């Protein structure tokens, strides 16, 4: 079998993965007022990791991103549930949210909401689930 | 007049998608089908762009980027499957 030559695929992937990750983080933070949110941001993140897995191989990605994605799924679900339970401490119904405006050093007047923490948990759960499914389908033993 | 032009272009985009769908179903070889799927997704991107002009909104522009990313990843996966027979390699030959 001759040595595969995919220079173009590797070069395009190294540029495109950065763009896709940036766009998915932008989608994640846009989710409070505009289309977007934790679910689609997590799916974009997972598609960037899929592109890395396609262009390179499993061993290379495991070596450079040494994260167990099942732990990511569990911690994401835990963050989402704990955010919901946190509202019970302040005598509010389960999963109720609040927001306020703060003066941050660089951003100026910024709206910080507790729903973003819940969204972060959802994003972590989606990333972990999607990458775990893809990795366990790709295992051919 | 402007709206009529947009409607006509939407009609022709739909027509090209139907023709590409015929190629997906009937296509003699596998690369024909992959190319036809890519053509369908490009036509879909054009259709979403025309819809966002038609509705005077910029909420649909994220769909264009997501569709572009997903069709790119999908086409690369199909191309790898046709070329190597395996989609994600365990350890590549260096």
């Amino acid at each position: 079998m001759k040595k595969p030559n995919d220079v173009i695929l590797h070069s395009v992937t190294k540029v495109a993965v950065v763009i896709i990750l940036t766009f998915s983080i932008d989608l994640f933070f846009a989710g409070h007022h505009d289309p977007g949110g934790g679910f689609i941001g997590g799916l974009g993140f997972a598609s960037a990791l899929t592109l890395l897995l396609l262009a390179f191989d499993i061993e290379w990605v495991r070596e450079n991103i040494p994260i167990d994605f099942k732990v990511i799924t569990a911690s994401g679900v835990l963050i989402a549930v704990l955010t919901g339970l946190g509202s019970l401490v302040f005598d509010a119904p389960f999963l109720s949210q609040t927001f306020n405006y703060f003066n941050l050093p660089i951003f100026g007047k910024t709206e910080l909401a507790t729903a973003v923490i819940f969204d972060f948990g959802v994003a972590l759960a989606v990333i972990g689930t999607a990458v775990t499914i893809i990795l366990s389908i790709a295992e051919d033993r | 007049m402007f709206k009529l032009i947009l409607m006509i272009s939407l009609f022709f985009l739909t027509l090209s998608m139907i023709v590409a769908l015929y190629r997906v179903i009937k296509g003699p070889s596998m690369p024909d089908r992959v190319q036809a799927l890519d053509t369908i997704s490009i036509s879909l991107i054009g259709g979403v762009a025309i819809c966002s002009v038609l509705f005077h909104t910029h909420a649909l522009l994220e769909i264009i980027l997501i569709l572009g990313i997903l069709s790119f990843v999908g086409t690369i996966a199909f191309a790898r499957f046709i070329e190597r027979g395996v989609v994600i390699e365990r350890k590549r030959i260096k």
Side-chain angles (χ1 to χ4, degrees):
Chain A
M1 189 178 167
K2 68 174 193 292
K3 190 165 155 283
N5 178 18
D6 32 36
V7 178
I8 296 177
L9 181 59
H10 285 181
S11 313
V12 169
T13 303
K14 278 170 191 165
V15 178
V17 161
V18 179
I19 298 172
I20 296 173
L21 289 181
T22 315
F23 175 58
S24 65
I25 290 171
D26 173 64
L27 263 186
F28 170 70
F29 280 115
H32 201 59
H33 293 299
D34 295 321
F39 190 82
I40 189 66
L43 276 185
F45 209 94
S47 79
L49 290 177
T50 311
L51 186 58
L52 269 184
L53 283 170
L54 279 174
F56 300 97
D57 51 11
I58 297 180
E59 305 266 334
W60 189 85
V61 173
R62 280 235 177 96
E63 211 173 281
N64 288 286
I65 311 175
I67 302 168
D68 190 3
F69 283 97
K70 294 192 263 313
V71 177
I72 298 267
T73 312
S75 56
V77 173
L78 196 67
I79 288 172
V81 170
L82 283 183
T83 316
L85 284 179
S87 60
L88 292 180
V89 177
F90 300 101
D91 249 356
F94 182 61
L95 280 178
S96 51
Q97 66 127 3
T98 178
F99 63 95
N100 207 346
Y101 292 93
F102 295 97
N103 274 315
L104 295 184
I106 300 171
F107 301 103
K109 192 182 174 198
T110 317
E111 180 189 7
L112 293 182
T114 55
V116 176
I117 307 172
F118 179 77
D119 241 10
F120 183 66
V122 173
L124 282 188
V126 170
I127 292 168
T129 314
V131 177
T132 308
I133 289 173
I134 287 166
L135 278 180
S136 44
I137 287 176
E139 304 261 339
D140 45 354
R141 270 182 289 178
Chain B
M1 187 64 199
F2 188 58
K3 213 168 172 181
L4 184 72
I5 293 171
L6 289 179
M7 287 294 186
I8 290 171
S9 57
L10 264 182
F11 171 74
F12 278 109
L13 275 174
T14 316
L15 204 67
S16 83
M17 264 192 268
I18 291 171
V19 174
L21 192 65
Y22 171 78
R23 189 49 68 192
V24 169
I25 296 168
K26 187 84 183 193
S29 67
M30 208 62 186
D32 286 334
R33 293 194 171 100
V34 177
Q35 285 241 306
L37 274 177
D38 209 31
T39 311
I40 286 179
S41 94
I42 296 287
S43 307
L44 212 55
I45 289 174
V48 171
I50 290 174
C51 278
S52 102
V53 174
L54 210 55
F55 298 150
H56 292 288
T57 174
H58 58 266
L60 300 178
L61 294 183
E62 269 121 10
I63 305 175
I64 294 174
L65 286 162
I66 285 283
L67 266 180
I69 290 168
L70 288 185
S71 91
F72 174 64
V73 173
T75 308
I76 283 182
F78 270 122
R80 274 194 85 89
F81 181 68
I82 291 170
E83 178 94 7
R84 307 267 168 82
V86 58
V87 179
I88 298 175
E89 283 175 299
R90 164 158 297 282
K91 185 91 185 134
R92 76 197 133 121
I93 307 153
K94 286 202 182 136

